[in-house]
Protein backbone atom coordinates (compact mmCIF):
# COMPACT_ATOMS: atom_id res chain seq x y z
CA UNK A 1 0.00 0.00 0.00
CA UNK A 2 2.77 2.40 0.92
CA UNK A 3 4.23 1.65 -2.51
CA UNK A 4 1.14 3.06 -4.16
CA UNK A 5 -1.41 0.28 -4.61
CA UNK A 6 -4.88 1.82 -4.70
CA UNK A 7 -7.25 0.55 -1.96
CA UNK A 8 -8.74 -2.77 -3.01
CA UNK A 9 -6.70 -2.86 -6.20
CA UNK A 10 -5.43 -6.17 -7.52
CA UNK A 11 -2.03 -6.44 -5.83
CA UNK A 12 -1.22 -9.69 -7.58
CA UNK A 13 -1.35 -8.13 -11.04
CA UNK A 14 1.53 -5.91 -9.92
CA UNK A 15 3.73 -8.94 -10.54
CA UNK A 16 3.24 -8.04 -14.20
CA UNK A 17 2.69 -4.30 -14.15
CA UNK A 18 5.05 -3.17 -11.35
CA UNK A 19 7.44 -6.07 -10.72
CA UNK A 20 10.16 -3.69 -9.50
CA UNK A 21 7.94 -2.46 -6.68
CA UNK A 22 7.05 -5.99 -5.57
CA UNK A 23 10.72 -6.91 -5.71
CA UNK A 24 11.73 -3.87 -3.65
CA UNK A 25 9.20 -4.79 -0.95
CA UNK A 26 10.27 -8.43 -0.79
CA UNK A 27 13.97 -7.50 -0.72
CA UNK A 28 13.40 -5.52 2.45
CA UNK A 29 12.11 -8.67 4.15
CA UNK A 30 15.08 -10.69 2.94
CA UNK A 31 17.45 -7.99 4.18
CA UNK A 32 15.61 -8.11 7.52
CA UNK A 33 16.59 -11.75 7.81
CA UNK A 34 13.75 -13.81 6.34
CA UNK A 35 14.67 -17.30 5.12
CA UNK A 36 11.37 -17.78 3.29
CA UNK A 37 9.85 -15.39 0.79
CA UNK A 38 6.18 -15.92 0.06
CA UNK A 39 5.16 -15.08 -3.50
CA UNK A 40 2.74 -12.23 -4.16
CA UNK A 41 0.09 -14.66 -5.41
CA UNK A 42 -2.34 -14.98 -2.48
CA UNK A 43 -5.32 -14.02 -4.65
CA UNK A 44 -3.92 -15.28 -7.96
CA UNK A 45 -6.35 -18.13 -8.51
CA UNK A 46 -8.62 -17.87 -11.51
CA UNK A 47 -11.62 -17.22 -9.26
CA UNK A 48 -10.05 -14.35 -7.35
CA UNK A 49 -8.37 -12.77 -10.38
CA UNK A 50 -11.72 -12.88 -12.19
CA UNK A 51 -13.08 -10.45 -9.59
CA UNK A 52 -10.62 -7.91 -10.96
CA UNK A 53 -11.17 -8.91 -14.59
CA UNK A 54 -7.84 -10.76 -14.83
CA UNK A 55 -8.95 -14.40 -15.08
CA UNK A 56 -6.81 -14.94 -18.15
CA UNK A 57 -3.59 -14.02 -16.35
CA UNK A 58 -3.33 -16.91 -13.88
CA UNK A 59 -0.18 -18.44 -15.34
CA UNK A 60 1.58 -15.16 -15.96
CA UNK A 61 0.84 -13.65 -12.56
CA UNK A 62 1.91 -16.78 -10.66
CA UNK A 63 5.05 -17.40 -12.65
CA UNK A 64 6.10 -13.78 -12.37
CA UNK A 65 5.42 -14.03 -8.63
CA UNK A 66 7.90 -16.89 -8.29
CA UNK A 67 10.54 -15.12 -10.39
CA UNK A 68 10.30 -11.96 -8.30
CA UNK A 69 10.52 -13.83 -4.99
CA UNK A 70 13.54 -15.77 -6.26
CA UNK A 71 15.22 -12.56 -7.28
CA UNK A 72 14.45 -11.03 -3.89
CA UNK A 73 16.23 -13.91 -2.18
CA UNK A 74 19.23 -13.29 -4.40
CA UNK A 75 22.34 -15.00 -3.10
CA UNK A 76 20.81 -15.72 0.28
CA UNK A 77 20.16 -19.33 1.11
CA UNK A 78 16.41 -19.56 1.39
CA UNK A 79 13.13 -20.76 0.03
CA UNK A 80 10.46 -19.42 -2.26
CA UNK A 81 6.99 -20.30 -0.97
CA UNK A 82 4.37 -20.23 -3.69
CA UNK A 83 1.29 -18.67 -2.10
CA UNK A 84 -2.24 -20.01 -2.59
CA UNK A 85 -5.01 -18.17 -0.71
CA UNK A 86 -8.70 -19.04 -0.35
CA UNK A 87 -10.93 -18.95 -3.41
CA UNK A 88 -13.20 -16.33 -1.88
CA UNK A 89 -16.38 -18.35 -2.22
CA UNK A 90 -17.91 -21.17 -0.23
CA UNK A 91 -18.00 -24.67 -1.63
CA UNK A 92 -21.22 -26.52 -2.29
CA UNK A 93 -23.38 -27.56 -0.52
CA UNK A 94 -22.89 -24.59 1.86
CA UNK A 95 -22.13 -22.05 -0.80
CA UNK A 96 -22.47 -22.03 -4.55
CA UNK A 97 -18.98 -22.99 -5.70
CA UNK A 98 -18.95 -26.44 -7.33
CA UNK A 99 -16.11 -28.67 -6.14
CA UNK A 100 -14.92 -29.34 -9.70
CA UNK A 101 -14.53 -25.63 -10.38
CA UNK A 102 -12.60 -25.11 -7.15
CA UNK A 103 -10.36 -28.07 -7.88
CA UNK A 104 -9.61 -26.83 -11.40
CA UNK A 105 -8.75 -23.34 -10.15
CA UNK A 106 -6.45 -24.68 -7.44
CA UNK A 107 -4.71 -27.11 -9.79
CA UNK A 108 -4.15 -24.37 -12.33
CA UNK A 109 -2.55 -22.07 -9.78
CA UNK A 110 -0.53 -24.82 -8.10
CA UNK A 111 0.96 -26.08 -11.34
CA UNK A 112 1.86 -22.56 -12.49
CA UNK A 113 3.73 -21.99 -9.21
CA UNK A 114 5.50 -25.36 -9.25
CA UNK A 115 6.51 -25.05 -12.89
CA UNK A 116 8.01 -21.64 -12.22
CA UNK A 117 10.21 -23.23 -9.59
CA UNK A 118 8.62 -22.54 -6.19
CA UNK A 119 10.44 -24.57 -3.52
CA UNK A 120 7.23 -25.20 -1.63
CA UNK A 121 3.57 -24.25 -1.85
CA UNK A 122 1.89 -22.53 1.07
CA UNK A 123 -1.88 -22.90 1.21
CA UNK A 124 -2.93 -20.23 3.71
CA UNK A 125 -5.70 -18.36 5.52
CA UNK A 126 -7.95 -21.37 5.00
CA UNK A 127 -11.00 -21.84 7.19
CA UNK A 128 -12.65 -25.02 5.91
CA UNK A 129 -11.23 -28.52 5.78
CA UNK A 130 -12.95 -29.10 2.44
CA UNK A 131 -11.13 -26.30 0.64
CA UNK A 132 -7.86 -27.02 2.47
CA UNK A 133 -8.11 -30.66 1.40
CA UNK A 134 -8.75 -29.72 -2.22
CA UNK A 135 -5.79 -27.36 -2.21
CA UNK A 136 -3.46 -29.99 -0.74
CA UNK A 137 -4.59 -32.45 -3.40
CA UNK A 138 -4.02 -29.82 -6.09
CA UNK A 139 -0.52 -29.14 -4.75
CA UNK A 140 0.26 -32.85 -4.75
CA UNK A 141 -1.09 -33.24 -8.29
CA UNK A 142 1.15 -30.36 -9.36
CA UNK A 143 4.14 -32.19 -7.95
CA UNK A 144 4.99 -29.69 -5.20
CA UNK A 145 8.12 -30.80 -3.33
CA UNK A 146 6.80 -29.46 -0.05
CA UNK A 147 3.29 -28.44 0.98
CA UNK A 148 2.45 -26.11 3.85
CA UNK A 149 -1.23 -26.05 4.86
CA UNK A 150 -2.11 -23.07 7.06
CA UNK A 151 -5.45 -22.12 8.61
CA UNK A 152 -6.79 -18.87 10.06
CA UNK A 153 -8.39 -19.05 13.50
CA UNK A 154 -10.32 -16.63 15.63
CA UNK A 155 -10.90 -16.48 19.35
CA UNK A 156 -14.25 -17.96 20.46
CA UNK A 157 -17.00 -15.69 21.82
CA UNK A 158 -16.24 -16.71 25.40
CA UNK A 159 -12.51 -16.33 24.83
CA UNK A 160 -11.69 -19.90 25.80
CA UNK A 161 -10.67 -21.55 22.53
CA UNK A 162 -9.60 -20.96 18.94
CA UNK A 163 -11.68 -22.00 15.93
CA UNK A 164 -12.05 -21.04 12.26
CA UNK A 165 -15.21 -19.37 10.99
CA UNK A 166 -16.20 -22.70 9.48
CA UNK A 167 -15.95 -24.38 12.88
CA UNK A 168 -12.58 -26.10 12.62
CA UNK A 169 -10.46 -26.39 15.77
CA UNK A 170 -6.65 -26.54 15.63
CA UNK A 171 -6.23 -30.15 16.72
CA UNK A 172 -8.62 -31.44 14.09
CA UNK A 173 -7.01 -29.29 11.40
CA UNK A 174 -3.51 -30.55 12.25
CA UNK A 175 -4.59 -34.17 12.05
CA UNK A 176 -6.48 -33.52 8.83
CA UNK A 177 -3.69 -31.79 6.92
CA UNK A 178 -1.23 -34.49 8.01
CA UNK A 179 -3.56 -37.20 6.80
CA UNK A 180 -4.06 -35.43 3.46
CA UNK A 181 -0.33 -35.33 2.82
CA UNK A 182 0.79 -31.82 3.77
CA UNK A 183 4.39 -31.59 4.97
CA UNK A 184 3.98 -28.65 7.31
CA UNK A 185 0.93 -27.72 9.42
CA UNK A 186 0.53 -23.97 9.74
CA UNK A 187 -1.61 -21.18 11.08
CA UNK A 188 -1.68 -17.54 10.01
CA UNK A 189 -3.66 -14.32 10.18
CA UNK A 190 -6.89 -14.65 12.15
CA UNK A 191 -8.81 -12.44 14.56
CA UNK A 192 -7.53 -12.08 18.09
CA UNK A 193 -4.60 -14.35 17.30
CA UNK A 194 -1.29 -12.71 18.12
CA UNK A 195 2.13 -14.30 18.59
CA UNK A 196 1.21 -15.43 22.09
CA UNK A 197 -1.95 -17.12 20.83
CA UNK A 198 0.14 -18.85 18.19
CA UNK A 199 2.05 -20.61 20.96
CA UNK A 200 -1.21 -22.02 22.34
CA UNK A 201 -2.36 -23.21 18.92
CA UNK A 202 1.03 -24.73 18.15
CA UNK A 203 0.71 -26.77 21.34
CA UNK A 204 -2.68 -28.06 20.10
CA UNK A 205 -1.10 -28.94 16.75
CA UNK A 206 1.72 -30.75 18.52
CA UNK A 207 -0.76 -33.00 20.29
CA UNK A 208 -2.19 -34.14 16.97
CA UNK A 209 0.68 -34.30 14.51
CA UNK A 210 4.42 -34.86 14.27
CA UNK A 211 4.66 -32.62 11.20
CA UNK A 212 6.76 -29.46 11.40
CA UNK A 213 4.59 -26.50 12.44
CA UNK A 214 4.58 -22.93 11.12
CA UNK A 215 3.00 -19.82 12.65
CA UNK A 216 2.48 -16.37 11.07
CA UNK A 217 0.24 -14.11 13.19
CA UNK A 218 -0.82 -10.53 12.51
CA UNK A 219 0.87 -7.65 14.28
CA UNK A 220 -2.00 -7.44 16.77
CA UNK A 221 -5.44 -6.06 15.92
CA UNK A 222 -5.85 -3.03 13.66
CA UNK A 223 -6.84 0.29 15.17
CA UNK A 224 -7.67 3.62 13.63
CA UNK A 225 -5.12 6.38 14.01
CA UNK A 226 -6.05 9.77 12.54
CA UNK A 227 -8.14 8.16 9.83
CA UNK A 228 -5.44 5.65 8.95
CA UNK A 229 -5.71 2.00 9.82
CA UNK A 230 -2.68 0.79 11.74
CA UNK A 231 -1.58 -2.35 13.42
CA UNK A 232 -0.22 -1.32 16.74
CA UNK A 233 1.91 -4.22 17.86
CA UNK A 234 5.51 -3.13 17.73
CA UNK A 235 8.23 -5.45 16.42
CA UNK A 236 9.53 -5.88 19.98
CA UNK A 237 6.09 -6.74 21.37
CA UNK A 238 5.51 -9.24 18.61
CA UNK A 239 8.92 -10.85 18.95
CA UNK A 240 8.60 -11.14 22.74
CA UNK A 241 6.40 -14.22 22.35
CA UNK A 242 8.61 -15.88 19.74
CA UNK A 243 10.60 -17.97 22.27
CA UNK A 244 7.31 -19.38 23.60
CA UNK A 245 6.21 -20.26 20.06
CA UNK A 246 9.52 -21.98 19.36
CA UNK A 247 9.45 -23.78 22.70
CA UNK A 248 5.94 -25.00 21.88
CA UNK A 249 7.45 -26.74 18.87
CA UNK A 250 7.09 -24.41 15.90
CA UNK A 251 9.80 -24.88 13.29
CA UNK A 252 8.98 -21.88 11.11
CA UNK A 253 7.84 -18.52 12.42
CA UNK A 254 6.81 -15.42 10.51
CA UNK A 255 4.17 -12.72 10.37
CA UNK A 256 1.07 -11.72 8.45
CA UNK A 257 -1.11 -8.58 8.27
CA UNK A 258 0.27 -5.35 9.66
CA UNK A 259 3.82 -6.56 9.98
CA UNK A 260 6.79 -4.79 8.45
CA UNK A 261 10.44 -5.61 7.73
CA UNK A 262 11.14 -4.34 11.26
CA UNK A 263 8.88 -7.11 12.63
CA UNK A 264 10.75 -9.66 10.54
CA UNK A 265 14.07 -8.35 11.86
CA UNK A 266 12.83 -8.60 15.46
CA UNK A 267 11.58 -12.14 14.88
CA UNK A 268 14.95 -13.02 13.30
CA UNK A 269 16.81 -11.77 16.38
CA UNK A 270 14.48 -13.68 18.69
CA UNK A 271 14.98 -16.91 16.73
CA UNK A 272 18.76 -16.50 16.67
CA UNK A 273 18.83 -15.76 20.40
CA UNK A 274 16.68 -18.82 21.12
CA UNK A 275 19.16 -20.98 19.24
CA UNK A 276 22.18 -19.40 20.89
CA UNK A 277 20.74 -20.45 24.21
CA UNK A 278 21.01 -24.00 23.00
CA UNK A 279 17.40 -24.63 22.02
CA UNK A 280 16.26 -25.95 18.66
CA UNK A 281 18.53 -27.01 15.87
CA UNK B 1 -52.30 -25.19 15.95
CA UNK B 2 -49.29 -25.93 13.75
CA UNK B 3 -46.32 -27.58 15.39
CA UNK B 4 -44.02 -24.56 15.38
CA UNK B 5 -41.55 -26.31 17.65
CA UNK B 6 -41.11 -28.99 15.01
CA UNK B 7 -40.80 -26.38 12.28
CA UNK B 8 -38.07 -24.60 14.22
CA UNK B 9 -36.27 -27.89 14.83
CA UNK B 10 -36.36 -28.74 11.11
CA UNK B 11 -35.12 -25.26 10.23
CA UNK B 12 -32.29 -25.56 12.76
CA UNK B 13 -31.29 -28.90 11.25
CA UNK B 14 -31.46 -27.45 7.74
CA UNK B 15 -34.24 -29.73 6.50
CA UNK B 16 -35.50 -27.51 3.72
CA UNK B 17 -38.14 -29.91 2.34
CA UNK B 18 -39.65 -30.40 5.81
CA UNK B 19 -39.75 -26.69 6.52
CA UNK B 20 -41.45 -26.07 3.20
CA UNK B 21 -44.03 -28.82 3.87
CA UNK B 22 -44.75 -27.60 7.42
CA UNK B 23 -45.17 -24.07 6.11
CA UNK B 24 -47.74 -25.24 3.57
CA UNK B 25 -49.54 -27.30 6.20
CA UNK B 26 -49.74 -24.35 8.58
CA UNK B 27 -51.27 -22.23 5.84
CA UNK B 28 -53.69 -25.05 4.98
CA UNK B 29 -54.80 -25.02 8.61
CA UNK B 30 -55.77 -21.42 8.06
CA UNK B 31 -52.95 -19.78 9.98
CA UNK B 32 -52.04 -16.29 8.75
CA UNK B 33 -48.83 -16.03 6.77
CA UNK B 34 -47.49 -13.42 9.18
CA UNK B 35 -47.90 -15.80 12.09
CA UNK B 36 -46.16 -18.66 10.30
CA UNK B 37 -43.32 -16.33 9.43
CA UNK B 38 -42.92 -15.01 12.97
CA UNK B 39 -43.59 -18.15 15.02
CA UNK B 40 -41.91 -20.58 12.66
CA UNK B 41 -39.25 -19.14 10.39
CA UNK B 42 -38.11 -16.05 12.26
CA UNK B 43 -38.24 -17.75 15.64
CA UNK B 44 -36.28 -20.64 14.17
CA UNK B 45 -33.60 -18.39 12.72
CA UNK B 46 -33.33 -16.60 16.05
CA UNK B 47 -32.23 -19.84 17.71
CA UNK B 48 -29.74 -20.41 14.90
CA UNK B 49 -28.41 -16.88 15.35
CA UNK B 50 -28.00 -17.29 19.10
CA UNK B 51 -26.13 -20.55 18.72
CA UNK B 52 -23.96 -19.04 16.01
CA UNK B 53 -23.06 -16.19 18.33
CA UNK B 54 -22.02 -18.64 21.03
CA UNK B 55 -19.92 -20.95 18.88
CA UNK B 56 -22.44 -23.78 18.96
CA UNK B 57 -23.05 -23.46 15.22
CA UNK B 58 -20.64 -22.24 12.57
CA UNK B 59 -21.00 -20.78 9.08
CA UNK B 60 -21.78 -24.10 7.30
CA UNK B 61 -24.66 -24.97 9.63
CA UNK B 62 -26.02 -21.43 9.48
CA UNK B 63 -26.02 -21.49 5.69
CA UNK B 64 -27.87 -24.79 5.59
CA UNK B 65 -30.43 -23.50 8.10
CA UNK B 66 -30.83 -20.28 6.10
CA UNK B 67 -31.56 -22.35 3.03
CA UNK B 68 -34.33 -24.15 4.91
CA UNK B 69 -35.68 -20.80 6.07
CA UNK B 70 -35.70 -19.60 2.46
CA UNK B 71 -37.66 -22.67 1.38
CA UNK B 72 -40.41 -21.72 3.83
CA UNK B 73 -40.13 -18.05 2.92
CA UNK B 74 -40.69 -18.85 -0.76
CA UNK B 75 -44.08 -20.28 0.18
CA UNK B 76 -45.02 -17.28 2.30
CA UNK B 77 -43.66 -14.48 0.17
CA UNK B 78 -46.56 -14.15 -2.32
CA UNK B 79 -48.99 -13.99 0.64
CA UNK B 80 -47.02 -11.56 2.76
CA UNK B 81 -47.08 -8.85 0.12
CA UNK B 82 -50.80 -9.28 -0.57
CA UNK B 83 -53.33 -6.57 0.27
CA UNK B 84 -54.71 -6.94 3.73
CA UNK B 85 -52.11 -9.44 4.85
CA UNK B 86 -51.18 -6.87 7.45
CA UNK B 87 -47.57 -7.97 7.48
CA UNK B 88 -44.89 -5.37 7.22
CA UNK B 89 -41.22 -6.22 7.04
CA UNK B 90 -39.15 -5.56 10.15
CA UNK B 91 -37.50 -2.92 8.04
CA UNK B 92 -35.91 -2.29 4.68
CA UNK B 93 -32.21 -3.11 4.59
CA UNK B 94 -29.69 -2.15 1.94
CA UNK B 95 -26.49 -4.18 1.99
CA UNK B 96 -23.21 -3.80 0.17
CA UNK B 97 -19.45 -4.34 0.33
CA UNK B 98 -17.65 -1.02 -0.14
CA UNK B 99 -15.74 0.18 -3.16
CA UNK B 100 -12.51 -1.60 -3.93
CA UNK B 101 -13.45 -4.63 -1.86
CA UNK B 102 -14.62 -7.84 -3.52
CA UNK B 103 -15.19 -9.95 -0.39
CA UNK B 104 -18.74 -11.06 0.22
CA UNK B 105 -18.97 -14.25 2.27
CA UNK B 106 -19.77 -12.42 5.51
CA UNK B 107 -22.06 -9.90 3.87
CA UNK B 108 -24.05 -12.67 2.21
CA UNK B 109 -24.45 -14.38 5.56
CA UNK B 110 -25.77 -11.16 7.08
CA UNK B 111 -28.25 -10.80 4.19
CA UNK B 112 -29.61 -14.28 4.77
CA UNK B 113 -29.92 -13.87 8.51
CA UNK B 114 -31.56 -10.46 8.15
CA UNK B 115 -34.08 -11.98 5.77
CA UNK B 116 -34.64 -14.66 8.37
CA UNK B 117 -35.43 -11.92 10.87
CA UNK B 118 -38.12 -10.47 8.62
CA UNK B 119 -36.21 -7.71 6.85
CA UNK B 120 -36.77 -6.78 3.23
CA UNK B 121 -33.19 -7.09 2.01
CA UNK B 122 -31.67 -5.47 -1.06
CA UNK B 123 -28.15 -6.73 -1.67
CA UNK B 124 -26.08 -4.46 -3.91
CA UNK B 125 -23.16 -6.87 -4.04
CA UNK B 126 -19.45 -6.01 -3.85
CA UNK B 127 -17.34 -2.99 -4.84
CA UNK B 128 -20.08 -0.40 -4.25
CA UNK B 129 -19.36 3.32 -4.57
CA UNK B 130 -21.09 6.12 -2.67
CA UNK B 131 -22.99 6.93 -5.88
CA UNK B 132 -24.28 3.37 -6.09
CA UNK B 133 -25.31 3.36 -2.44
CA UNK B 134 -27.14 6.66 -2.90
CA UNK B 135 -28.91 5.59 -6.09
CA UNK B 136 -30.14 2.42 -4.38
CA UNK B 137 -31.21 4.45 -1.36
CA UNK B 138 -33.44 6.62 -3.53
CA UNK B 139 -34.86 3.53 -5.16
CA UNK B 140 -35.50 1.30 -2.13
CA UNK B 141 -35.87 3.86 0.68
CA UNK B 142 -34.06 1.70 3.22
CA UNK B 143 -34.27 2.17 6.98
CA UNK B 144 -30.79 0.78 7.45
CA UNK B 145 -27.66 0.49 5.33
CA UNK B 146 -25.31 -2.36 6.14
CA UNK B 147 -21.77 -1.82 4.89
CA UNK B 148 -19.08 -4.45 4.82
CA UNK B 149 -15.31 -4.34 4.33
CA UNK B 150 -12.80 -7.15 4.67
CA UNK B 151 -9.60 -5.18 4.23
CA UNK B 152 -7.92 -2.51 6.32
CA UNK B 153 -7.25 -0.81 3.00
CA UNK B 154 -10.90 -0.58 1.98
CA UNK B 155 -12.53 0.14 5.34
CA UNK B 156 -11.75 3.88 5.19
CA UNK B 157 -14.25 4.07 2.33
CA UNK B 158 -17.01 3.47 4.87
CA UNK B 159 -16.39 6.96 6.16
CA UNK B 160 -16.69 8.33 2.62
CA UNK B 161 -20.15 6.77 2.37
CA UNK B 162 -21.26 7.98 5.80
CA UNK B 163 -20.03 11.52 5.15
CA UNK B 164 -21.74 11.45 1.75
CA UNK B 165 -25.06 10.48 3.31
CA UNK B 166 -24.85 13.19 5.95
CA UNK B 167 -23.91 15.83 3.37
CA UNK B 168 -26.67 14.93 0.97
CA UNK B 169 -29.46 15.04 3.51
CA UNK B 170 -29.81 11.31 4.10
CA UNK B 171 -28.84 11.67 7.74
CA UNK B 172 -32.00 9.87 8.84
CA UNK B 173 -30.88 6.60 7.25
CA UNK B 174 -29.14 4.44 9.84
CA UNK B 175 -25.77 3.09 8.82
CA UNK B 176 -24.28 -0.05 10.32
CA UNK B 177 -20.86 -1.48 9.58
CA UNK B 178 -19.10 -4.81 9.92
CA UNK B 179 -16.29 -6.96 8.56
CA UNK B 180 -13.08 -8.47 9.90
CA UNK B 181 -10.95 -5.34 10.45
CA UNK B 182 -13.77 -3.12 11.75
CA UNK B 183 -14.67 -2.53 15.38
CA UNK B 184 -17.00 -0.65 17.68
CA UNK B 185 -14.35 2.02 18.12
CA UNK B 186 -13.95 2.40 14.39
CA UNK B 187 -17.72 2.68 13.94
CA UNK B 188 -17.84 5.46 16.51
CA UNK B 189 -14.90 7.26 14.95
CA UNK B 190 -16.42 7.39 11.46
CA UNK B 191 -19.90 8.25 12.74
CA UNK B 192 -21.68 4.98 11.96
CA UNK B 193 -24.85 4.20 13.89
CA UNK B 194 -23.61 0.80 14.92
CA UNK B 195 -21.20 -2.09 14.55
CA UNK B 196 -21.65 -5.82 14.96
CA UNK B 197 -18.91 -8.43 15.26
CA UNK B 198 -20.84 -11.21 13.51
CA UNK B 199 -23.90 -11.90 11.36
CA UNK B 200 -26.12 -12.69 14.29
CA UNK B 201 -25.10 -9.53 16.11
CA UNK B 202 -25.73 -7.60 12.90
CA UNK B 203 -29.36 -8.68 12.87
CA UNK B 204 -29.79 -7.67 16.53
CA UNK B 205 -28.28 -4.32 15.62
CA UNK B 206 -30.59 -3.80 12.63
CA UNK B 207 -33.60 -4.57 14.81
CA UNK B 208 -32.41 -2.06 17.38
CA UNK B 209 -31.83 0.57 14.70
CA UNK B 210 -35.37 0.25 13.35
CA UNK B 211 -36.77 0.27 16.89
CA UNK B 212 -37.82 -3.36 16.53
CA UNK B 213 -40.12 -3.80 13.55
CA UNK B 214 -43.59 -5.33 13.92
CA UNK B 215 -42.50 -8.74 12.67
CA UNK B 216 -39.37 -8.69 14.77
CA UNK B 217 -41.30 -8.26 18.00
CA UNK B 218 -44.18 -10.57 17.16
CA UNK B 219 -42.32 -13.71 18.15
CA UNK B 220 -40.23 -12.25 20.93
Amino acid sequence: MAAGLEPGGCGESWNLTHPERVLAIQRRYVEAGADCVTTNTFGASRLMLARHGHAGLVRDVNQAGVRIAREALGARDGWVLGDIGPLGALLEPYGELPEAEARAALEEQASALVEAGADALIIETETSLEETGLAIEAARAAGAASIIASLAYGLSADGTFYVTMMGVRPGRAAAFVAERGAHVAGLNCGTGVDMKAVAAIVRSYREHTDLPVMGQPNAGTPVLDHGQVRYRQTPEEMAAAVPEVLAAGAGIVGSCCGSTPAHTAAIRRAVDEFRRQGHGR
Amino acid sequence: MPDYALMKRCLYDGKAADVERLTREALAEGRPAGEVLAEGLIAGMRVVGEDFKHNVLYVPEVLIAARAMKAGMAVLKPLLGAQGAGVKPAGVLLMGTVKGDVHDIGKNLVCMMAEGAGFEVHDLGVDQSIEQFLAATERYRPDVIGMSAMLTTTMPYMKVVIDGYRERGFGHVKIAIGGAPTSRTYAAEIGADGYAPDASGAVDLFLRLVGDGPVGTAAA
Side-chain angles (χ1 to χ4, degrees), chain B residues 193-211:
Chain B
D193 295 297
Y195 155 84
D198 56 53
S200 178
V203 172
D204 294 343
L205 171 64
F206 299 151
L207 287 168
R208 269 203 311 281
L209 290 177
V210 297

Side-chain angles (χ1 to χ4, degrees), chain A residues 7-8 51 90 93-94 157 167 224, chain B residues 55 58 63 67 100 102 153 186 189:
Chain A
R51 293 177 175 224
L90 297 175
Y94 311 120
L224 201 74
Chain B
N55 293 103
Y58 292 94
L63 289 170
R67 196 165 305 165
V102 295
T153 54
Y186 182 65
E189 177 149 355

Side-chain angles (χ1 to χ4, degrees), chain A residues 1 7-9 48 51-52 88-90 93-95 156-158 161 163-167 169 191 222 224 226-227 229 231, chain B residues 52-55 58-61 63-64 67 100-105 126 151-156 180-181 186 189-190:
Chain A
M1 293 302 299
M48 285 304 283
R51 293 177 175 224
H52 298 281
L90 297 175
Y94 311 120
S156 67
D158 63 2
F161 61 94
V163 62
T164 74
M165 74 167 191
M166 301 299 275
R169 301 229 202 166
T191 309
L224 201 74
H226 298 97
V229 179
Y231 284 81
Chain B
F52 176 63
K53 209 185 299 179
H54 295 105
N55 293 103
Y58 292 94
V59 171
E61 295 88 359
L63 289 170
I64 297 291
R67 196 165 305 165
D101 201 317
V102 295
H103 297 84
D104 61 4
I105 292 177
V126 299
L151 307 172
T152 53
T153 54
T154 53
M155 63 191 264
Y186 182 65
E189 177 149 355
I190 63 173

Side-chain angles (χ1 to χ4, degrees), chain B residues 14 45 60 108 200:
Chain B
M45 278 306 283
N108 294 346
S200 178

Side-chain angles (χ1 to χ4, degrees), chain A residues 148-165:
Chain A
I148 303 165
S150 181
L151 285 86
Y153 302 94
L155 188 59
S156 67
D158 63 2
T160 60
F161 61 94
Y162 295 97
V163 62
T164 74
M165 74 167 191

Side-chain angles (χ1 to χ4, degrees), chain A:
Chain A
M1 293 302 299
L5 178 65
E6 71 279 17
C10 180
E12 288 79 5
S13 63
W14 267 28
N15 291 346
L16 301 176
T17 57
H18 300 88
E20 71 293 344
R21 295 190 200 171
V22 179
L23 176 63
I25 292 168
Q26 294 191 333
R27 269 210 177 119
R28 292 173 61 206
Y29 287 90
V30 173
E31 284 159 8
D35 297 309
C36 300
V37 179
T38 302
T39 59
N40 178 37
T41 56
F42 180 82
S45 65
R46 169 171 297 272
L47 296 174
M48 285 304 283
L49 286 177
R51 293 177 175 224
H52 298 281
H54 301 320
L57 297 178
V58 177
R59 273 196 104 59
D60 295 346
V61 169
N62 283 283
Q63 302 206 326
V66 173
R67 272 199 306 277
I68 295 165
R70 182 70 66 196
E71 198 179 334
L73 265 178
R76 187 186 169 90
D77 218 5
W79 294 271
V80 170
L81 312 185
D83 197 7
I84 297 179
L87 297 171
L90 297 175
L91 285 164
E92 287 179 343
Y94 311 120
E96 287 167 3
L97 177 61
E99 186 182 308
E101 199 178 318
R103 186 185 297 277
L106 291 164
E107 285 181 354
E108 181 186 27
Q109 190 184 4
S111 52
L113 290 167
V114 170
E115 278 170 30
D119 298 308
L121 293 190
I122 176 166
I123 296 152
E124 61 177 352
T125 325
E126 295 292 347
T127 57
S128 85
L129 294 184
E130 292 81 0
E131 190 172 330
T132 305
L134 282 179
I136 293 172
E137 282 167 25
R140 291 176 66 177
S146 177
I147 303 167
I148 303 165
S150 181
L151 285 86
Y153 302 94
L155 188 59
S156 67
D158 63 2
T160 60
F161 61 94
Y162 295 97
V163 62
T164 74
M165 74 167 191
M166 301 299 275
V168 182
R169 301 229 202 166
R172 185 160 161 240
F176 176 86
V177 303
E179 179 205 310
R180 287 301 172 98
H183 304 101
V184 177
L187 68 131
N188 70 291
C189 207
T191 309
V193 178
D194 59 7
M195 194 60 88
K196 197 147 181 74
V198 168
I201 298 173
V202 168
R203 282 191 283 273
S204 303
Y205 273 26
R206 271 276 150 268
E207 289 169 16
H208 291 84
T209 180
D210 294 326
L211 289 183
V213 172
M214 174 175 188
Q216 306 178 94
N218 298 339
T221 305
V223 294
L224 201 74
D225 177 17
H226 298 97
Q228 292 291 310
V229 179
R230 293 190 203 289
Y231 284 81
R232 275 284 178 71
Q233 206 171 37
T234 65
E236 291 67 33
E237 286 163 353
M238 190 174 197
V242 166
E244 192 183 341
V245 170
L246 296 173
I252 311 172
V253 60
S255 54
C256 196
C257 308
S259 62
T260 65
H263 291 83
T264 297
I267 292 170
R268 172 86 260 165
R269 285 193 297 274
V271 170
D272 290 346
E273 179 60 26
F274 187 80
R275 284 188 178 163
R276 249 196 306 278
Q277 291 173 4
H279 306 286
R281 284 142 293 175

